[in-house]
Amino acid sequence: MRPQAPIARRALTVVGMQELGAYRVLRLADPDGPAPAPGQFSMLAAVQRWGGGEDERPHVPRAFSIARWQEGEDGMEAHYLLEDVGPGTQRLCELRAGEEVWVLGPLGQGFTPPDEGRRALLVGGGVGIAPLAILQDLLLQHSGTPATSTGAEGRRDLAAPTGVALLGFRDGAHAEGAALLQNVRIATDDGAVGHHGLVTDLLARELDEDPEAVVYACGPAPMLEAVRAMCAEREVPARLALESGMACGFGACFGCVVPTKDGYLRVCVEGPVIDAARLAHVDAHAGAPA
Amino acid sequence: MRPQAPIARRALTVVGMQELGAYRVLRLADPDGPAPAPGQFSMLAAVQRWGGGEDERPHVPRAFSIARWQEGEDGMEAHYLLEDVGPGTQRLCELRAGEEVWVLGPLGQGFTPPDEGRRALLVGGGVGIAPLAILQDLLLQHSGTPATSTGAEGRRDLAAPTGVALLGFRDGAHAEGAALLQNVRIATDDGAVGHHGLVTDLLARELDEDPEAVVYACGPAPMLEAVRAMCAEREVPARLALESGMACGFGACFGCVVPTKDGYLRVCVEGPVIDAARLAHVDAHAGAPA
Amino acid sequence: MSVDFCGLELSHPIINASGTFDLLAADTAFGASLRAEFPFAAFVSKTITLAPRAGNPPPRLWESPAGLVNSIGLPNKGLAGYLAHDLPALSSLLAEVDAPLITNVMGATAAEIARLLEVCQAQMQIAAVELNVSCPNVKTGLDIGADPKQLEAVVREVRSRLAKPLIVKLTPNTADVATCAAAAEAGGADAVSLINTLRAMALAPAGHSESPWLGGGTGGLSGPAIRPVALAQVAAVASRVSIPVVGMGGVQSARHAQDLLDVGATLVAVGTQSFRDPLAGRRVALGLAAAGPKSPVSLRASL
Amino acid sequence: MSVDFCGLELSHPIINASGTFDLLAADTAFGASLRAEFPFAAFVSKTITLAPRAGNPPPRLWESPAGLVNSIGLPNKGLAGYLAHDLPALSSLLAEVDAPLITNVMGATAAEIARLLEVCQAQMQIAAVELNVSCPNVKTGLDIGADPKQLEAVVREVRSRLAKPLIVKLTPNTADVATCAAAAEAGGADAVSLINTLRAMALAPAGHSESPWLGGGTGGLSGPAIRPVALAQVAAVASRVSIPVVGMGGVQSARHAQDLLDVGATLVAVGTQSFRDPLAGRRVALGLAAAGPKSPVSLRASL
Ligand SMILES: Cc1cc2nc3c(=O)[nH]c(=O)nc-3n(C[C@H](O)[C@H](O)[C@H](O)COP(=O)(O)OP(=O)(O)OC[C@H]3O[C@@H](n4cnc5c(N)ncnc54)[C@H](O)[C@@H]3O)c2cc1C
Ligand SMILES: Cc1cc2nc3c(=O)[nH]c(=O)nc-3n(C[C@H](O)[C@H](O)[C@H](O)COP(=O)(O)OP(=O)(O)OC[C@H]3O[C@@H](n4cnc5c(N)ncnc54)[C@H](O)[C@@H]3O)c2cc1C
Ligand SMILES: Cc1cc2nc3c(=O)[nH]c(=O)nc-3n(C[C@H](O)[C@H](O)[C@H](O)COP(=O)(O)O)c2cc1C
Ligand SMILES: Cc1cc2nc3c(=O)[nH]c(=O)nc-3n(C[C@H](O)[C@H](O)[C@H](O)COP(=O)(O)O)c2cc1C
Ligand code: FES
Ligand code: FES
């Protein structure tokens, strides 16, 4: 059974807020929260002044993938990777240590591990790399093999047993987010770091060499759609962590739907991770901020 | 002619925020603003996050008397005395040096000086002491005589030529606000400091001794009404600085009216200071926070 | 705090607004804690229609100043699907927390509504029915509930099919909601509920193409933004009718609920605030209880 | 950015919402800077009635989530007082900034309105008249403007008294604002404006006695809270009528104004935002100008 959230949202203390290139990493002390499955998310809102930003927003909480779950100084900590794209993320990005955040989570359906013996290929785009970090942590932990920790691009490391991560970014500042993962290969739109082009170019190469891999992807809708199409063509299983505008995160509002082959699906309860085979295409609104 | 505000509100930098008992003193650098007349006010709003507090407020700016106008390190500074009574004042009270405040002002009709040779009696209640500070500054400056600077209560100092201030407070913590003025006599509701009772008891004594004085008052509605009634009975001229819920501060909304003998008057343009003789009574909504 | 509402004995006056809480999804998300701290004194289902509906294409949500515009489009499995799939699970969960089930239904014609009520009458797990009359009349395009005469006729025509309490959920998009409430009462409603969302719209933000943002074209505004409108409408209705009133619209705190009770509501529903805090209903109920019973200085008479 | 509005040549599409800017008080408060940075392309007066009105007792304002509820009660000096005291000063100030004067009037009967229009016709300083039809009908208590038939009849009856442009300011408190707009057009209106405030209410906060807070009992909601409602109503009206539409309701930025223009408004009025920033109108106009003229992908047709 998936980890469930307590219905009472928790006011958690910010224990850290670090810059990571174009992103920020928010660390919340969560001593009593349930351990999340990779791919699950939380609904976050600043306890103070959630509202009063641009256009008198935000009002409802915002969804963020749990990027990491680890022992901190006083019990467990959840890490979130934030990109400031509007009033909600802006408010969260300005929080300082000691301030509080309402957290409802862990929510949603996370990633399921690859079948025994198959290699996981993580494919992330932009801030969509967040759920891949916790997934990689878990994969590495299960395999018992620490990944080679260099993030140098171009060095093809087929030997890595698990958790190799192909990450696409807009530019160099965003590519710094790759530090969240290990054993990464990077592609950038402007060629500043790694492969000059799309992360799906890297994915094609990997799949050429290991057609038995299982793909785990999160990122902007066009990227997810390219991953879906490529995996469908090659008959590679793919699990996509979708995103969608959400109001509640627990299935109450029916606002977060994406179209699937058999009708609309609520990303927050039936997702965010779903099997790519269920989608005819990835809806333009179903991805991470581009 | 009264000092006028530029129609463009100014984003002014907070240069100080000090506790003063139950109050806070906000200092804004206002290098280019017009010098205010005592009794004038400004409409203030935090530049960031004006909104998103209790009940998703504040939305419109809030009115505050200019409590002091003086040379600071980089040009002129305006001081405001704040009492946290709701979401607007709370937001302002949490500002720190370096943050910005929208300021529209100086606004309204201020105090007119007493006729030559008559003594000014300042009567303040609670946060209503704010406009009396700048008035006293001006009176002292004009008389050329610095007031005795002790604030010790009980010491009656009829010799002070001008600017004696009778101040009423709820309790000791509020009475610390008296430090904003000089030559003060204090009354507190709980007897913690000074006279145990109403500031109007002090006023009655002063008027007994100097029936030629002119009264300048600002404070909660019941206090203002008591002052009005006492002055009317004794035929002492009284200038009352009224307050009222305001949305605009410049006569646009018609929201801030108080009843007078000849109809409603907009506190923000025809006041806040008005001649007590124009009022049949002080409306319950026309005073400072009690 | 216990309240009698049309013969239903409720433990407190706070229920959910239809369409703002999915009990089965909440069960998946929250499990045991949902039962341990159940937020509502009764549970109102999403609107159920005779035929299944997929709902509107995304985007379905637009966040507005202190509010939310939704264009969900009433997705539901249809009456048969609801009875087969949801009702058993709903009623067993509700039995555990001792909260009655109110089923919200909508039909485009009196015949459709009559059929919905008949079926609800036959299901003993359903304690009462809320009839959503914000359904566009097929001919005029206006909400059935916006025209008092039409509303009275429809309610009168269907009333006999339901022996259980019938709550008519009024539309706020009307010139005179009190007259609509009186019409519902005259037609035989046991209670009225309001306000539903205000007709609203949003265009796509910068960077998106400039069509209407919502997949459904237009939507409905809810949340704190509409609270003063809700209070005015509930006050107007409560001072006009003598049946109980369920008040809602932007309630976030016990204070807001108390305001609605003060102007004459018997129950208060929490909607959008549950999206921010799934325990909002419970907090409101506890806040009311903590404030203690009020001397009934109801403003109802004075309005 | 210059715009033709019913034959008036305006320098940009931004005007003030009636009752949200008092030019003479602003002159007292701001003096020369008001003229130097005049915020509006035309100036709309507060509502003027035949007889003087004192307005409602205080409190007149309630701040709500991202909005404001007012119960000002249309205080004004009456038509004669307006002509004698305000018009000369208004028109000389407006002449300096080259902005035409639109006088907003309200009457309880067609006869009263006819008289108001006649007098406005005779004043050459008045460029156009905005007729506020949110006036309660003395018999029904409902706004004159809420009933399309009544509205059309009133507009038709008074139309001949005014050769100048007649703008009908619709009430938003109606089931079908587009039909009301069409009725105003059929009656002879040259333009319609909307939205006026939404009927709303507030109770006194803690510590005050629990009557309605506003001296007038109920009030009207304005500000960002109502913006999505305004957009929906303006879109519905603009897609129905062929006369120009003045859109308003919660506009704070050029983006919000552009949304209203995109759904078919010709002018946009700024109201409550001027209370936060008296130069809001100017900032919106400058923002529109900076964004440059848009290719007219008006949604008007597509709605
Ligand atoms: C399951 C899930 C996991 C996520 N994980 C992460 C993560 O780990 N890190 C991260 O940074 N982000 C993550 N996101 C995305 C994040 O939730 C959004 O970036 C955030 O909600 C944006 O809020 P905002 O107020 O900052 O921006 P918004 O202004 O809300 O803008 C974001 C997007 O919403 C749309 N939009 C704009 N205005 C409105 C409006 N008024 N109403 C509705 N929609 C509007 C536009 O498409 C815009 O591009 C995740 C989302 C989901 C669903
Ligand atoms: C000319 C003038 C000068 C002033 N000078 C000072 C000064 O120097 N220092 C100072 O601290 N204060 C001063 N005030 C008072 C100050 O403006 C108010 O305390 C402030 O506006 C309160 O805002 P708030 O959001 O903190 O509290 P609010 O919540 O607005 O509460 C303040 C009062 O407003 C009423 N109220 C409560 N809720 C609402 C609502 N939703 N809508 C409308 N009214 C409501 C109640 O009566 C309440 O007691 C002055 C006021 C005026 C008019
Ligand atoms: C996302 C959403 C879905 C809704 N679905 C329904 C519905 O299915 N049936 C119904 O009668 N009302 C529905 N409503 C209206 C609410 O029940 C309620 O009347 C309205 O939202 C006002 O209350 P609030 O401001 O507390 O949300 C819905 C509201 C929202 C926000
Ligand atoms: C304080 C106040 C006074 C108003 N007075 C009038 C008025 O006299 N006549 C009128 O037609 N509308 C009046 N209105 C309505 C506005 O003109 C406008 O239609 C409404 O406020 C919506 O715009 P906004 O949200 O930008 O304020 C008033 C609004 C406010 C807030
Ligand atoms: S976010 Fe509300 S149902 Fe998914
Ligand atoms: S505060 Fe708006 S008129 Fe005085």
Side-chain angles (χ1 to χ4, degrees):
Chain A
M1 207 185 64
R2 63 158 99 171
Q4 289 176 320
I7 190 173
R9 58 181 182 171
R10 313 188 284 295
L12 301 184
T13 304
V14 177
V15 292
M17 176 68 86
Q18 274 97 30
E19 279 194 30
L20 186 66
Y23 305 101
R24 278 193 164 70
V25 177
L26 166 67
R27 286 167 37 221
L28 296 177
D30 194 1
D32 306 316
Q40 283 195 300
F41 67 98
S42 301
M43 298 298 285
L44 305 186
V47 168
Q48 296 296 326
R49 311 211 166 280
W50 191 247
E54 188 200 337
D55 278 351
E56 316 302 326
R57 297 165 61 217
H59 181 61
V60 289
R62 299 293 194 260
F64 295 90
S65 302
I66 298 160
R68 188 145 271 145
W69 177 256
Q70 67 178 34
E71 197 72 41
E73 296 192 358
D74 297 296
M76 297 308 289
E77 283 180 9
H79 296 194
Y80 297 91
L81 185 69
L82 308 181
E83 182 170 15
D84 176 355
V85 299
T89 47
Q90 181 183 54
R91 176 71 187 107
L92 290 171
C93 283
E94 76 189 21
L95 290 173
R96 311 175 213 201
E99 297 189 300
E100 285 182 321
V101 177
W102 286 120
V103 176
L104 184 76
L107 296 165
Q109 183 60 53
F111 293 111
T112 44
D115 287 345
E116 200 53 48
R118 294 184 81 162
R119 190 158 144 275
L121 272 177
L122 316 190
V123 185
V127 76
I129 65 172
L132 304 182
I134 182 173
L135 174 63
Q136 189 181 56
D137 287 349
L138 211 84
L139 291 171
L140 293 173
Q141 197 178 306
H142 280 231
S143 75
T145 329
T148 49
S149 69
T150 127
E153 199 277 334
R155 215 177 38 76
R156 318 204 63 229
D157 185 5
L158 261 178
T162 192
V164 62
L166 314 175
L167 309 179
F169 297 99
R170 195 175 318 157
D171 53 29
H174 287 82
E176 290 185 42
L180 209 62
L181 286 98
Q182 305 175 30
N183 192 22
V184 302
R185 316 210 199 307
I186 298 178
T188 48
D189 295 349
D190 65 355
V193 185
H195 170 68
H196 187 170
L198 300 176
V199 70
T200 39
D201 302 341
L202 303 182
L203 176 61
R205 278 194 249 156
E206 291 290 334
L207 291 177
D208 286 346
E209 307 206 14
D210 179 5
E212 291 300 299
V214 179
V215 170
Y216 293 83
C218 184
M223 183 206 102
L224 290 180
E225 171 56 14
V227 169
R228 187 205 60 75
M230 186 180 296
C231 293
E233 202 195 302
R234 297 172 181 238
E235 293 180 2
V236 168
R239 288 158 201 159
L240 309 183
L242 303 181
E243 298 195 4
S244 178
M246 292 187 173
C248 72
F250 60 97
C253 73
F254 283 77
C256 62
V257 297
V258 296
T260 71
K261 288 177 183 165
D262 39 36
Y264 292 124
L265 159 160
R266 277 172 290 176
V267 172
C268 70
V269 278
E270 298 184 62
V273 178
I274 75 154
D275 201 318
R278 296 182 64 187
L279 301 177
H281 68 101
V282 175
D283 188 75
H285 291 284
Chain B
M1 208 185 62
R2 62 158 96 171
Q4 289 176 320
I7 190 172
R9 57 182 184 170
R10 313 190 282 295
L12 301 184
T13 304
V14 177
V15 291
M17 176 69 85
Q18 274 97 31
E19 279 195 29
L20 187 65
Y23 305 101
R24 277 195 164 70
V25 178
L26 166 68
R27 286 166 39 221
L28 296 176
D30 194 1
D32 307 316
Q40 284 194 301
F41 67 99
S42 301
M43 297 299 285
L44 305 186
V47 168
Q48 296 296 328
R49 312 216 163 276
W50 191 247
E54 188 201 337
D55 278 351
E56 315 303 325
R57 298 165 61 215
H59 182 62
V60 290
R62 299 294 193 258
F64 295 91
S65 303
I66 298 159
R68 189 146 270 143
W69 176 256
Q70 67 179 33
E71 199 68 53
E73 295 191 359
D74 296 296
M76 297 308 290
E77 284 180 9
H79 297 194
Y80 296 91
L81 186 68
L82 309 181
E83 183 170 14
D84 176 355
V85 299
T89 48
Q90 182 184 52
R91 176 71 187 107
L92 291 172
C93 283
E94 75 190 22
L95 290 173
R96 311 175 214 199
E99 297 188 300
E100 285 182 321
V101 177
W102 286 120
V103 176
L104 185 75
L107 295 165
Q109 182 60 52
F111 294 112
T112 44
D115 286 346
E116 198 55 46
R118 294 183 83 162
R119 193 160 141 271
L121 271 176
L122 316 190
V123 186
V127 75
I129 66 172
L132 304 181
I134 182 173
L135 174 63
Q136 190 182 57
D137 286 349
L138 210 84
L139 290 171
L140 293 173
Q141 196 179 308
H142 280 233
S143 75
T145 327
T148 49
S149 68
T150 129
E153 197 278 335
R155 216 177 36 76
R156 319 204 61 234
D157 187 6
L158 262 177
T162 193
V164 61
L166 314 175
L167 308 180
F169 296 98
R170 197 176 315 159
D171 54 28
H174 287 82
E176 289 185 43
L180 210 63
L181 286 97
Q182 305 176 31
N183 195 21
V184 301
R185 312 206 201 312
I186 299 178
T188 50
D189 295 350
D190 66 356
V193 186
H195 170 68
H196 187 169
L198 301 175
V199 70
T200 39
D201 302 341
L202 303 181
L203 176 61
R205 279 193 249 157
E206 291 291 333
L207 290 177
D208 287 345
E209 305 205 18
D210 180 4
E212 293 298 298
V214 179
V215 170
Y216 294 83
C218 184
M223 183 205 101
L224 290 179
E225 170 57 13
V227 169
R228 186 206 60 75
M230 185 181 295
C231 293
E233 200 194 303
R234 296 174 180 234
E235 294 181 359
V236 169
R239 285 151 205 166
L240 309 182
L242 303 181
E243 298 194 3
S244 180
M246 293 186 173
C248 70
F250 61 96
C253 73
F254 282 76
C256 63
V257 297
V258 295
T260 71
K261 289 177 184 166
D262 39 37
Y264 292 124
L265 158 161
R266 277 172 290 176
V267 171
C268 70
V269 278
E270 299 184 63
V273 178
I274 75 152
D275 201 319
R278 295 181 65 186
L279 302 176
H281 68 100
V282 175
D283 187 75
H285 291 284
Chain C
M1 285 262 83
S2 90
V3 192
D4 172 87
F5 175 73
C6 300
L8 305 180
E9 194 67 29
L10 304 183
S11 56
H12 61 74
I14 305 302
I15 65 174
N16 67 300
S18 172
T20 65
F21 210 94
D22 179 328
L23 219 49
L24 303 181
D27 195 22
T28 306
F30 305 132
S33 70
L34 170 67
R35 291 170 176 76
E37 308 188 82
F38 197 73
F40 308 112
F43 179 76
V44 184
S45 77
K46 244 193 107 55
T47 293
I48 308 297
T49 50
L50 270 186
R53 290 169 62 110
N56 290 331
R60 290 180 170 184
L61 299 172
W62 175 257
E63 188 181 59
S64 67
L68 192 68
V69 182
N70 83 78
S71 150
I72 307 297
L74 305 178
N76 74 93
K77 299 173 183 162
L79 184 61
Y82 172 72
L83 297 184
H85 300 291
D86 294 353
L87 191 58
L90 279 177
S91 54
S92 84
L93 199 159
L94 289 171
E96 286 183 60
V97 298
D98 198 22
L101 172 64
I102 300 172
T103 294
N104 179 300
V105 301
M106 188 180 89
T109 61
E112 265 188 49
I113 297 170
R115 175 80 193 124
L116 287 157
L117 296 192
E118 256 167 28
V119 175
C120 289
Q121 177 58 30
Q123 303 295 326
M124 53 164 260
Q125 303 100 314
I126 298 176
V129 174
E130 182 174 57
L131 173 63
N132 180 353
V133 296
S134 294
C135 180
N137 176 306
V138 191
K139 284 184 220 128
T140 66
L142 295 186
D143 288 354
I144 292 182
D147 173 18
K149 285 205 196 68
Q150 186 178 187
L151 178 60
E152 181 175 341
V154 168
V155 175
R156 175 160 293 139
E157 187 169 341
V158 302
R159 173 69 261 205
S160 64
R161 314 301 174 95
L162 190 76
K164 300 170 186 176
L166 176 65
I167 309 156
V168 172
K169 181 152 182 192
L170 304 167
T171 170
N173 300 301
T174 176
D176 184 5
V177 72
T179 299
C180 294
E185 181 179 34
D190 297 305
V192 288
S193 57
L194 71 162
I195 67 173
N196 210 320
T197 56
L198 300 180
R199 205 175 295 128
M201 187 179 179
L203 296 192
H208 296 263
S209 63
E210 68 206 328
S211 54
W213 171 249
L214 297 168
T218 58
L221 177 63
S222 67
I226 68 170
R227 193 161 65 232
V229 174
L231 190 63
Q233 293 207 354
V234 170
V237 164
S239 67
R240 178 76 79 86
V241 300
S242 40
I243 50 179
V245 175
V246 184
M248 70 192 92
V251 171
Q252 300 181 283
S253 70
R255 170 82 218 179
H256 307 149
Q258 189 60 58
D259 280 357
L260 290 169
L261 296 173
D262 282 347
V263 300
T266 298
L267 300 183
V268 169
V270 172
T272 301
Q273 181 65 10
S274 293
F275 302 160
R276 294 167 41 120
D277 173 7
L279 275 189
R282 186 176 177 86
R283 285 188 224 284
V284 170
L286 291 174
L288 286 175
K294 279 191 89 177
S295 45
V297 253
S298 171
L299 293 170
R300 191 162 176 158
S302 76
L303 284 166
Chain D
M1 284 260 84
S2 92
V3 192
D4 172 87
F5 175 73
C6 301
L8 303 180
E9 194 67 29
L10 305 184
S11 55
H12 59 75
I14 306 301
I15 65 174
N16 67 301
S18 172
T20 65
F21 210 94
D22 179 330
L23 219 49
L24 304 181
D27 194 24
T28 305
F30 306 130
S33 69
L34 170 66
R35 291 172 177 74
E37 308 188 83
F38 196 73
F40 307 112
F43 179 77
V44 184
S45 77
K46 244 192 109 48
T47 292
I48 308 297
T49 49
L50 269 185
R53 290 169 63 111
N56 291 331
R60 289 181 171 183
L61 298 172
W62 176 259
E63 188 182 58
S64 67
L68 192 68
V69 182
N70 84 78
S71 150
I72 307 297
L74 305 179
N76 75 92
K77 298 173 181 159
L79 184 62
Y82 172 74
L83 297 184
H85 300 292
D86 294 353
L87 190 58
L90 279 178
S91 55
S92 85
L93 199 158
L94 289 170
E96 285 182 61
V97 297
D98 198 22
L101 173 64
I102 300 173
T103 294
N104 178 300
V105 302
M106 187 181 90
T109 61
E112 263 187 50
I113 297 169
R115 175 79 192 124
L116 286 156
L117 297 192
E118 255 166 31
V119 175
C120 288
Q121 177 60 29
Q123 303 295 326
M124 54 163 258
Q125 303 100 316
I126 298 176
V129 174
E130 182 175 55
L131 174 62
N132 179 352
V133 295
S134 295
C135 180
N137 175 307
V138 190
K139 285 185 217 126
T140 65
L142 296 185
D143 288 353
I144 292 182
D147 173 18
K149 287 204 195 71
Q150 187 177 185
L151 179 59
E152 180 175 342
V154 168
V155 174
R156 176 159 294 139
E157 187 171 340
V158 303
R159 173 70 259 205
S160 64
R161 313 305 173 95
L162 189 75
K164 300 168 184 174
L166 176 64
I167 309 155
V168 172
K169 182 155 182 189
L170 303 168
T171 171
N173 301 300
T174 178
D176 185 4
V177 71
T179 300
C180 293
E185 181 178 33
D190 297 304
V192 288
S193 55
L194 73 159
I195 67 172
N196 210 320
T197 57
L198 300 180
R199 207 176 293 128
M201 187 179 177
L203 296 192
H208 296 263
S209 61
E210 68 205 329
S211 54
W213 170 251
L214 297 168
T218 57
L221 177 62
S222 66
I226 68 171
R227 194 163 62 232
V229 174
L231 190 62
Q233 293 208 354
V234 170
V237 164
S239 66
R240 179 76 78 86
V241 300
S242 41
I243 51 179
V245 175
V246 184
M248 69 192 94
V251 170
Q252 300 181 285
S253 68
R255 170 83 217 178
H256 307 150
Q258 188 62 56
D259 279 357
L260 290 169
L261 297 172
D262 281 347
V263 299
T266 299
L267 299 184
V268 169
V270 172
T272 302
Q273 180 65 8
S274 293
F275 302 161
R276 293 166 43 120
D277 174 7
L279 275 190
R282 187 177 176 85
R283 285 189 224 283
V284 170
L286 291 174
L288 286 175
K294 278 190 89 175
S295 45
V297 255
S298 173
L299 295 169
R300 191 165 178 156
S302 76
L303 285 166

